[in-house]
């Protein structure tokens, strides 16, 4: 099987590493890729949000399967264009990708499917903002109602801060979503969905804030771990039954079946799990931890998902133990990152590349905000943490920063799902 992966992050590097271990894979390509993916896959240049260009690349390269990493190409209709070439594509149609691309659409699907989610209100007129804020209580949750790569959300107990963020979004022409605050630990559940069949992967948790102890602004994700030692053992099955399967059924019923990876981001509250968001693709950085534990051939699972034959596949098998990934970010991230600095230790095992490129002289240099994802594994979370941070000690990038507390509270047994009352 010839597999073309679209994207250039550590998520795509992790997907390629897992695909490379599947004996069914005969050739791998990545577009546009980075310095790390270039070491294991042919590199191709393409504008990933141009459906015609991606479909042409898939045809010219004779891909048997295209795997779309990020949401923007899916929302732009890349999967539709690839499938129109008669090539299997792991990733939903543009219509189905609206589960991530439009928060209003996602809320509508959840309401129809009877899935719990935070109560919300959309504000598109600044004159209505104050009255809308009055209908909520602190902490305030203020979101951009479109794709914002995780950075459009402000959660704050300060009404003025909430108001200011909403005004910034509205001034930029973006409708604002005000949401009820969900209290409880967060979980990310990835599911392969082939239209009808839903197969969960290991639950994971990510760390969205830039600083230790969840300080500072939201980012695209600063680290993650899997599985969740504090969660009930049947969490994944329960979430499939209560959340993901009903949404998959609802989407199929609307004539827009979801085919690809459906990612439920949830808060496990005292009243039960409640959806924070759906994403229409693998999460970054959770994928780096989850796939580090996958023992089943990945290409086979992705192909079965893309071709509607998931029900015929054995359930994925997982290594025992845990995986932790820690993101190394460039100076300035999540603002404008400093780029072009040489990176020491970038070619080591367990170091996945995101914003990197190889210079003509062979040096790997930084080329984006999230630069690397360092992955450690071990028999338990504490050991996996130690492994990840030991590997991270071997990485050198001037001005870079990372969180030192990824998976720390979970490893110490400090996380619990709240109980009612
Ligand atoms: P999102 O981009 O919607 O995933 O939001 C980013 C982060 O903001 C989430 O991972 C949560 O930590 C936080 N967040 C978003 N919505 C809520 C909510 N309704 N209640 C509590 N926290 C939230
Ligand atoms: N880990 C958050 C995301 O992928 O959206």
């Amino acid at each position: 099987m010839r597999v073309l992966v679209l994207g250039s992050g550590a998520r795509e590097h992790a997907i390629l590493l897992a695909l490379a271990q599947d004996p069914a894979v005969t050739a791998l390509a990545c577009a546009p890729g980075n310095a790390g993916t270039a070491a294991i896959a042919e590199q191709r240049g393409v504008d990933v949000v141009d459906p015609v260009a991606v479909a042409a690349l898939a045809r010219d390269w004779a891909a048997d399967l295209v795997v779309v990493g990020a949401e923007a190409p899916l929302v732009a209709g890349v999967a539709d264009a690839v499938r129109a070439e008669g090539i299997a594509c792991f990733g939903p149609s543009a219509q189905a990708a609206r589960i991530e691309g439009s928060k209003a659409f996602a809320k509508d699907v959840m309401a129809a499917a009877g899935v719990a989610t935070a109560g919300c209100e959309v504000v598109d007129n600044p004159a209505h903002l104050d009255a809308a804020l009055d209908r909520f209580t602190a902490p305030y949750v203020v979101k951009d109602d479109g794709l914002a790569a995780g950075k459009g959300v402000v959660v704050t107990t300060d009404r003025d801060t909430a108001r200011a963020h909403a005004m910034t979004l509205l001034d930029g022409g973006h409708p604002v979503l005000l949401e009820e605050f969900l209290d409880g630990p967060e979980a990310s559940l990835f599911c392969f969905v082939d239209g009808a069949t839903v197969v969960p992967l290991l639950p994971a948790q990510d760390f969205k804030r830039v600083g230790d102890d969840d300080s500072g602004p939201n980012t695209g994700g600063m680290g993650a771990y899997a599985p969740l030692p504090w969660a009930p053992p049947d969490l994944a099955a329960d979430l499939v039954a209560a959340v993901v399967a009903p949404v998959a059924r609802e989407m199929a019923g609307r004539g827009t079946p979801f085919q690809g990876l459906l990612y439920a981001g949830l808060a496990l509250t005292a009243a039960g799990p409640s959806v924070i968001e759906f994403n229409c693709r693998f999460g970054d950085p959770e994928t780096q931890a989850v796939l580090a534990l996958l023992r089943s051939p990945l290409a086979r699972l992705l192909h079965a998902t893309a071709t509607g034959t998931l029900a015929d596949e054995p359930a994925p098998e997982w290594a025992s133990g845990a995986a932790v990934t820690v993101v190394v970010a460039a100076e300035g991230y999540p603002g404008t990152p400093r780029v072009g600095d040489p990176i020491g230790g970038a070619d080591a095992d367990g170091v996945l590349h995101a914003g990197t490129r190889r210079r003509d002289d062979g040096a790997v240099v930084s080329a984006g905000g999230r630069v690397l994802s360092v992955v450690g594994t071990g028999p338990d979370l504490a050991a996996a943490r130690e492994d990840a941070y030991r590997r991270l000690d071997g990485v050198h990038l001037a001005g870079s920063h990372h969180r030192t507390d990824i998976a720390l509270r979970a490893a110490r047994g400090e996380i619990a799902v709240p109980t009612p009352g």
Side-chain angles (χ1 to χ4, degrees):
M1 194 189 315
R2 294 173 61 83
V3 188
L4 166 64
V5 176
L6 287 190
S8 58
R11 164 182 54 203
E12 287 77 20
H13 196 177
I15 291 170
L16 286 162
L17 282 173
L19 289 171
Q21 286 167 22
D22 184 336
V25 173
T26 52
L28 279 176
C30 187
N34 57 43
T37 63
I40 52 171
E42 296 173 38
Q43 299 294 110
R44 289 289 185 278
V46 79
D47 177 1
V48 293
V49 294
D50 180 345
V52 174
V54 171
L57 171 63
R59 188 187 58 228
D60 295 347
W61 190 72
D64 300 304
L65 173 68
V66 174
V67 180
V68 185
E71 60 278 13
L74 294 164
V75 170
V78 159
D80 307 83
V82 170
R83 280 195 274 272
E85 288 289 335
I87 298 169
C89 187
F90 182 85
S93 66
Q95 285 295 316
R98 287 188 297 155
I99 196 79
E100 173 167 1
S102 162
K103 292 196 161 80
F105 175 79
K107 293 282 186 191
D108 190 56
V109 168
M110 284 188 271
V115 169
T117 183
C120 69
E121 195 171 326
V122 177
V123 180
D124 56 10
N125 180 342
H128 299 160
L129 179 60
D130 286 307
L133 279 169
D134 286 343
R135 289 189 281 274
F136 290 82
T137 50
Y140 298 95
V141 180
V142 182
K143 301 188 178 185
D144 185 334
D145 187 42
L147 285 183
K151 295 184 203 162
V153 181
V154 163
V155 181
T156 175
T157 52
D158 181 41
R159 188 185 155 119
D160 291 341
T161 307
R163 189 177 190 286
H165 182 58
M167 282 308 294
T168 306
L169 293 172
L170 288 166
D171 286 346
H174 297 235
V176 166
L177 193 77
L178 302 179
E179 241 181 41
E180 165 202 2
F181 177 76
L182 297 172
D183 197 11
E186 283 178 47
S188 301
L189 183 70
F190 299 169
C191 295
F192 295 139
V193 180
D194 71 354
T197 301
V198 177
V199 173
L201 311 192
L202 287 183
Q205 191 177 55
D206 76 346
F207 294 75
K208 291 241 168 74
R209 302 281 189 136
V210 72
D212 281 1
D213 297 323
D214 292 331
S215 60
N218 271 316
T219 68
M222 293 298 289
Y225 66 93
L228 308 176
W230 47 266
D234 39 8
L235 179 72
D238 288 351
L239 293 176
V240 167
V243 173
V244 184
V247 163
R249 266 197 305 275
E250 172 65 23
M251 294 191 70
R254 292 177 179 218
T256 55
F258 188 97
Q259 206 163 41
L261 191 134
L262 189 52
Y263 160 152
L266 307 118
L268 305 180
T269 77
S274 190
V275 172
I276 291 179
E277 61 168 352
F278 280 107
N279 293 316
C280 65
R281 36 79 193 169
F282 279 101
D284 191 343
E286 296 97 312
T287 298
Q288 292 86 301
V290 170
L291 291 186
L293 299 172
L294 181 69
R295 289 293 165 267
S296 304
L298 181 63
R300 208 189 145 108
L301 283 165
L302 300 184
H303 193 266
T305 304
T307 54
T309 57
L310 210 41
D312 304 334
E313 291 299 312
E317 287 178 23
W318 303 97
S320 60
V324 170
T325 187
V326 182
V327 169
V328 178
E331 185 177 327
Y333 181 79
T336 307
R338 162 175 159 182
V339 296
D341 294 301
I343 308 167
D347 293 323
D349 263 3
V351 177
L352 304 184
H353 288 219
T356 70
R357 72 181 172 83
R358 199 172 292 275
R359 262 189 342 215
D360 290 346
D361 66 0
V364 176
V365 299
S366 57
R370 291 192 292 178
V371 180
L372 304 166
S373 262
V374 182
V375 182
T377 54
D380 59 24
L381 208 46
R385 248 180 70 75
E386 231 168 82
D387 188 42
Y389 282 104
R390 186 181 52 75
R391 291 174 193 273
L392 192 140
D393 280 343
V395 169
H396 303 283
L397 169 63
S400 71
H401 59 98
H402 63 268
R403 282 184 63 158
T404 67
D405 65 345
I406 302 301
L408 180 60
R409 293 187 55 228
R412 285 185 178 156
E414 291 173 5
I415 301 185
V417 180
T419 45

